[in-house]
Amino acid sequence: MARTDPRDRRRTLLRHAKHLSDRVGEVRARTIDEALGRALGTDDTDEIRDVVHALEAMSQRLGPQSAQPG
C-alpha cells in the first residue's frame, strides 16, 4: 500500500498489504521462460533452458559478492 507522506509530500510511504491480490499470485506463479521465449523469438524449450542456465550463471558471477575485493 502506498500513500503520500503527510510531513513531506515529496515522499511516498509504503507498507505491506494485509492480503495479496490475485495478480500478485499470478505473477509469482509464473517463470521467466515464457517472457524469455518471446524475447528470443522461440518456443524451443531446450534453447530457453540453456539461456536461463546462462543467466543464472552470470547472476552468480556478478552478484554482490563479486564486488568485494579479494
Side-chain angles (χ1 to χ4, degrees):
M1 305 295 294
R3 67 181 179 90
T4 302
D5 183 344
R7 293 180 295 171
D8 181 350
R9 301 194 64 75
R10 295 172 295 174
R11 296 187 324 168
T12 299
L13 301 176
L14 302 175
R15 67 177 172 86
H16 290 282
K18 292 179 183 175
H19 303 286
L20 296 179
S21 70
D22 292 340
R23 179 68 179 136
V24 170
E26 289 175 24
V27 170
R28 287 183 177 175
R30 289 183 168 232
T31 65
I32 190 70
D33 298 20
E34 183 181 327
L36 193 54
R38 281 195 311 269
L40 296 170
T42 185
D43 60 357
D44 182 333
T45 56
D46 291 334
E47 183 177 353
I48 294 168
R49 184 191 65 237
D50 291 345
V51 172
V52 168
H53 288 149
L55 291 170
E56 288 171 344
M58 282 180 49
S59 74
Q60 289 174 354
R61 299 275 294 176
L62 299 175
Q65 68 279 3
S66 68
Q68 296 176 1

